[in-house]
Amino acid sequence: VIKLEPPEGDFLRHQLPHHVWNRNKRSAVCDLKTDAGRALFWKLAETADIIIESNRPGVADRLGIGYKAVQAKLPGVIYVSSSGFGDDDVNRDLPGYEGIIDAYMGRQSEQVGFRDGPHFNVLPVGSYGAATLAAGGALAALRVRNLTGRGQHVKTSLVDGMLHLLTMIWGWAEKDPTPPPFNTPSVRPNITRRHLMTFGILPAGDGKYMQMHSGQPGRYFKGMEIFGIADKIERVPPHLEKSAPMSDADKAFLAEEVPRILKTKPRAEWVKIFED
């Protein structure tokens, strides 16, 4: 895998996940707005089975490296495009940011939190789903290429990716796993499960914002221990975090205490504490 980075380099390069996401890859700095940058692109494209680009529709064409240009020179290459809304949507020219897709799809309004209104989501569902669809489509197209010698254009979007994965989540919501008597329609919307706890985007002591999400069972109470308030809320075994409802008293307590505690340290210090 060869990753083309902009002249200033990948903006995530100095963050810890970058080394995991990009292990065993090579990279090249490339300004595709220049003749030299496009020349490097074509040199590398000649060695590629699959080309993946994630610009807004039309951007790669304007740079002279879109699918039609690649197909004319390299007819056996698989060309994968992953954008925010896809090239046939009325919103195709909007920035394809995860938060915008979340809002468009209603996902922010569906996320339960400790305040009213929409919430940003810690899990980039649209990006994950689009990556899954792109990978599957690219491999299928590669199989066809190996049989026929012809490449093709594989297209997906964050909207497609979100629909791909939200069907699982919507189905889960319709069949609530909470045991009786908490699974009646009048009670179910008010239940907050600890293992999916999200506190929204909150400011730390230096005014910089952070978001927390306790994905795995047991992480929620570990977080409460770090905050120093684990002894002030009801504790349940990790395997019951998925089904046991949280009391209104605990929800009210956390809604007040978590924002207050976060303001006692700068964000970088909190991040280091949680990473450790």
Side-chain angles (χ1 to χ4, degrees), residues 221-237:
F221 279 106
K222 184 63 178 178
M224 297 304 102
E225 290 173 356
I226 290 174
F227 286 147
I229 55 175
D231 60 335
K232 295 180 172 60
I233 55 177
E234 180 187 8
R235 191 172 194 119
V236 298

Side-chain angles (χ1 to χ4, degrees), residues 83-86 89 91 94-111 118-119 121 123-127 129-130 133 157-170:
S83 60
F85 291 87
D89 192 283
N91 298 303
L94 288 179
Y97 301 143
E98 187 80 30
I100 292 178
I101 309 300
D102 270 353
Y104 174 73
M105 297 293 288
R107 184 167 175 254
Q108 290 183 345
S109 62
E110 292 182 343
Q111 173 62 55
H119 294 265
N121 292 275
L123 182 67
V125 168
S127 297
L133 293 172
S157 69
L158 269 67
V159 169
D160 293 326
M162 191 165 290
L163 284 170
H164 176 49
L165 293 183
L166 280 187
T167 52
M168 170 187 70
I169 297 174
W170 285 330

Side-chain angles (χ1 to χ4, degrees), residues 12 27 92 106 127 202 221 224 233 240 255-257:
L12 291 173
S27 68
R92 55 173 283 163
S127 297
L202 300 173
F221 279 106
M224 297 304 102
I233 55 177
L240 293 180
E256 181 176 343
E257 283 298 293

Side-chain angles (χ1 to χ4, degrees), residues 8 22 28 34 37 53 77-78 105 127 132 150 153 167 192 197 212 215 228 234 250 262 270:
E8 63 275 14
N22 293 283
T34 67
E53 61 92 14
V77 169
I78 311 303
M105 297 293 288
S127 297
T132 303
R150 297 191 301 269
H153 195 181
T167 52
T192 302
M197 187 59 56
M212 295 167 294
E234 180 187 8
D250 277 0
L262 281 177
W270 281 122

Side-chain angles (χ1 to χ4, degrees), residues 110-189:
E110 292 182 343
Q111 173 62 55
V112 176
F114 276 91
R115 58 164 174 76
D116 293 332
H119 294 265
F120 279 99
N121 292 275
V122 71
L123 182 67
V125 168
S127 297
Y128 282 10
T132 303
L133 293 172
L139 291 173
L142 191 62
R143 169 67 173 163
V144 173
R145 196 282 307 272
N146 290 343
L147 294 174
T148 67
R150 297 191 301 269
Q152 58 182 293
H153 195 181
V154 175
K155 303 178 187 178
T156 189
S157 69
L158 269 67
V159 169
D160 293 326
M162 191 165 290
L163 284 170
H164 176 49
L165 293 183
L166 280 187
T167 52
M168 170 187 70
I169 297 174
W170 285 330
W172 175 17
E174 289 167 3
K175 186 178 180 181
D176 196 292
T178 307
F182 301 108
N183 62 348
T184 60
S186 61
V187 175
R188 184 169 55 196

Side-chain angles (χ1 to χ4, degrees), residues 46-63:
E46 290 175 356
T47 71
D49 291 299
I50 302 169
I51 293 174
I52 303 173
E53 61 92 14
S54 57
N55 298 291
R56 275 183 253 181
V59 171
D61 292 327
R62 290 196 294 272
L63 292 171

Side-chain angles (χ1 to χ4, degrees), residues 1-6 25-32 35-52 65 70 73-74 76-79 145:
V1 177
I2 303 174
K3 179 178 180 179
L4 292 186
E5 300 185 28
K25 296 179 185 176
R26 292 180 291 165
S27 68
V29 173
C30 182
D31 186 352
L32 293 171
D35 291 340
R38 287 189 290 271
L40 176 58
F41 167 85
W42 286 112
K43 180 180 179 181
L44 296 174
E46 290 175 356
T47 71
D49 291 299
I50 302 169
I51 293 174
I52 303 173
I65 58 168
V70 170
K73 291 186 177 181
L74 305 167
V77 169
I78 311 303
Y79 195 97
R145 196 282 307 272

Side-chain angles (χ1 to χ4, degrees), residues 197-208:
M197 187 59 56
T198 178
F199 298 98
I201 299 178
L202 300 173
D206 54 358
K208 295 182 178 180

